[in-house]
Amino acid sequence: MGEFFAWVAEVDNQIVATSGLVFFQRPPYNGNFSGLEAYIMNVYTISMWRGQGIATALLKEIISFVRATAAKRLWLHTTKDGKRIYEKVGFVSTSKEMEIVYY
């Protein structure tokens, strides 16, 4: 796929939150025979808009989008502060990142 996808949330024509997604191909491995993965990057909400569910809504849209593809793994890196948001939508911690694996 090799493309970058972006999601934004707007309030009164101002972007208040954003997130990006890239797909990439890895060699097939046990648990992901296609090797196709998706990586979420740069989730950000302007501070005055945090805590209102905007990032959660963006993440749900991204998860829905990825589930409609052949990607079998969706993952990201997080800060300590962001971990709760990702857990709320189904991500689980691994040794280095957080992920959702579709079987």
Side-chain angles (χ1 to χ4, degrees):
M1 293 180 117
E3 298 178 81
F4 176 82
F5 297 86
W7 280 259
V8 298
E10 293 181 313
V11 175
D12 297 329
N13 294 318
Q14 177 189 1
I15 295 174
V16 297
T18 185
S19 183
L21 177 77
V22 292
F23 287 91
F24 60 95
Q25 189 70 46
R26 288 193 174 179
Y29 58 91
N30 191 18
N32 187 355
F33 296 120
S34 75
L36 185 62
E37 297 186 357
Y39 179 73
I40 295 176
M41 55 195 323
N42 303 329
V43 178
Y44 180 76
T45 303
I46 293 173
S47 60
M48 68 181 280
W49 292 98
R50 291 180 187 160
Q52 299 183 40
I54 297 170
T56 300
L58 286 177
L59 288 166
K60 287 179 179 179
E61 288 295 322
I62 292 169
I63 290 167
S64 178
F65 178 79
V66 172
R67 288 190 78 130
T69 72
K72 296 299 180 198
R73 182 175 185 239
L74 173 60
W75 60 287
L76 54 83
H77 289 95
T78 185
T79 62
K80 186 177 174 181
D81 292 337
K83 187 175 181 180
R84 180 184 57 80
I85 295 168
Y86 304 117
E87 288 173 336
K88 188 183 340 180
V89 296
F91 283 88
V92 295
S93 294
T94 66
S95 60
K96 295 182 183 178
E97 61 248 354
M98 297 186 77
E99 68 179 9
I100 295 177
V101 178
Y102 305 109
Y103 293 102

